[in-house]
Amino acid sequence: MSVRVGILGATGAVGQRFIQLLDDHPTFDLAAVTASAESAGKTYREAAKWRVDTPIPDDVAGMEVVATDPGAVADADVDLLFSSLPSGVAAEVEPAFLEEGYVVSSNSSNDRMAEDVPLTIPEINPEHLGLIDVQRDERGWDGALVKNPNCSTITMVPTLAALDEFGLETVHVSTLQAVSGAGYSGVTSMEIIDNAIPHIGGEEEKMETESRKLLGAFDGGEVRLHDAEVTASCNRIPTLDGHLENVFAELDADPSREEIRAAMEGFESADLYSSPDQLIKVFGDDEPDRPQPRLDRTYAGGMGIVAGGVQHTAAGIKYNCLAHNTVRGAAGASLLNGELLVEEGYV
Ligand code: NAP
């Protein structure tokens, strides 16, 4: 089966990862790339300040970048759109594509917490895709909108999902986030070299709300948020890719460290092309200084989660976790949702 796809915002930090991940994809054929008015009409090679560690695929380099509106994309005859636009732009243009009947798998934060929009990680809550039927009824769209969570949320939530069998009660998380998470022109070198910035606008609230929706229960009509209290503190540091997070959790049960590691390592992955065989890898006591961004962000091609440092504390447990923010945390997450949409017959 072949599905023609397009990327909205294809020239940015996440858009470039989409291009890389779609190269040689067994199902998706890239047929359209869009960006801002300044890039429209240029070839992809001219428009993109390419920062990915593999060359631009030859068949993409010469593609014409078109404007981000349904009229400009119509000739490409695509079945599925991946969106990596700034959220303010996405909030305006995604509805226009949805009204035209497009299925959109989006990274942008607008509408992630909307009651009729599935916020989905295929290995964690694939059943939330059922919200699409509610969404179509309520909004009258022939298309469908599915969102993936923020990059810092997706790094932590698979480990929380694994811990939920022990009764997840409270979560405190402190992040060390890479500069690529702010987009190509997000943080200047003068701001971040020799520095750390203890604030990322809106990020803490996203972690605190999105994780409860992802872990929530879907009853066929709505998602009931998970009861756990989640508190986040988000920090930008001068790494390029890979968000590292220190998690402190309180659980109803009192599992041993071995039981915690086993729950994480045994957490089931999804049977989709881009899902890793083992979703969460956990370092043991013999490697207490792992995971690290430079060493571990490419685990499972950047689609896996890596954890370590599991310890008991006076109040519960603590551990560290890490994921590649523009792969697992962004383009790879949308791509995986696209694969789920195809698998479930929405495309
Ligand atoms: P970015 O590097 O700034 O790229 C933005 C893209 O949107 C570019 O292709 C840009 O085209 C296009 N664009 C900007 N303004 C536009 C407009 N008015 N009309 C049409 N296209 C426009 O941003 P990014 O880091 O890739 O992030 C994209 C989205 O993903 C954001 O919503 C972000 O919050 C989300 N996200 C990012 C990450 C991450 O790790 N970076 C993780 C999760 C989610 P030009 O090149 O022509 O300007």
Side-chain angles (χ1 to χ4, degrees):
M1 181 188 182
S2 172
V3 174
R4 288 170 71 81
V5 302
I7 305 170
L8 310 179
T11 51
V14 177
Q16 295 181 16
R17 286 289 177 198
F18 271 123
I19 302 278
Q20 185 189 40
L21 295 172
L22 286 167
D23 194 28
D24 292 332
H25 193 280
T27 310
F28 297 144
D29 287 331
L30 183 61
V33 285
T34 87
S36 71
E38 288 80 64
S39 300
K42 296 179 182 171
T43 64
Y44 187 80
R45 186 190 298 284
E46 288 166 344
K49 299 182 187 78
W50 188 256
R51 286 294 177 274
V52 174
D53 38 16
T54 53
I56 304 177
D58 286 340
D59 51 341
V60 177
M63 282 178 81
E64 183 185 342
V65 176
V66 299
T68 305
D69 69 67
V73 170
D75 287 347
D77 195 25
V78 303
D79 306 303
L80 172 65
L81 287 167
F82 296 110
S83 173
S84 47
L85 295 164
S87 54
V89 178
E92 283 185 19
V93 305
E94 286 177 355
F97 284 95
L98 291 155
E99 279 158 19
E100 292 292 318
Y102 286 98
V103 176
V104 179
S105 175
S106 170
N107 270 289
S108 310
S109 59
N110 56 300
D111 275 336
R112 280 192 193 136
M113 293 302 293
E115 287 185 359
D116 61 349
V117 174
L119 178 68
T120 310
I121 303 173
E123 297 93 338
I124 307 299
N125 61 338
E127 71 282 3
H128 288 201
L129 220 54
L131 272 177
I132 288 174
D133 300 326
V134 178
Q135 181 189 105
R136 283 177 167 166
D137 277 352
E138 287 182 1
R139 306 212 192 196
W141 290 338
D142 292 328
L145 177 64
V146 59
K147 294 273 170 176
N148 51 272
N150 177 267
C151 45
S152 48
T153 309
I154 206 167
T155 300
M156 164 181 79
V157 162
T159 61
L160 299 182
L163 290 174
D164 207 17
E165 69 174 86
F166 306 117
L168 189 64
E169 292 184 337
T170 61
V171 179
H172 299 273
V173 57
S174 179
T175 70
L176 301 111
Q177 298 184 219
V179 292
S180 62
Y184 181 74
S185 50
V187 189
T188 67
S189 53
M190 289 292 279
E191 286 174 288
I192 197 67
I193 292 174
D194 184 34
N195 207 6
I197 302 171
H199 175 73
I200 302 175
E203 196 86 354
E204 294 170 355
E205 187 191 348
K206 288 175 192 165
M207 291 191 82
E208 291 166 1
T209 55
E210 292 174 14
S211 48
R212 296 183 59 213
K213 183 171 179 181
L214 288 157
L215 296 170
F218 177 57
D219 66 6
E222 61 183 6
V223 172
R224 191 170 52 78
L225 302 187
H226 193 287
D227 287 338
E229 286 174 32
V230 182
T231 312
S233 169
C234 295
N235 304 278
R236 186 79 67 201
I237 61 161
T239 44
L240 189 57
D241 288 315
H243 291 350
L244 177 62
E245 304 183 353
N246 313 124
V247 183
F248 300 78
E250 289 175 46
L251 308 170
D252 182 41
D254 185 23
S256 67
R257 285 189 294 161
E258 290 67 31
E259 287 172 321
I260 292 166
R261 284 197 285 258
M264 289 187 188
E265 292 217 310
F267 192 82
E268 202 175 336
S269 193
D271 187 18
L272 295 168
Y273 174 75
S274 300
S275 272
D277 292 339
Q278 183 178 338
L279 178 61
I280 308 172
K281 170 181 165 175
V282 188
F283 284 102
D285 294 343
D286 52 336
E287 293 178 277
D289 59 351
R290 303 285 286 277
Q292 297 178 19
R294 211 156 33 133
L295 300 183
D296 298 309
R297 62 193 169 206
T298 55
Y299 166 64
M303 288 298 286
I305 309 294
V306 191
V310 177
Q311 299 284 338
H312 285 99
T313 68
I317 64 162
K318 66 175 183 175
Y319 60 93
N320 307 311
C321 57
L322 178 142
H324 195 303
N325 55 294
T326 57
V327 180
R328 182 74 222 199
S334 275
L335 190 66
L336 205 51
N337 278 340
E339 292 170 11
L340 183 66
L341 284 160
V342 171
E343 180 78 16
E344 296 297 319
Y346 288 103
V347 175

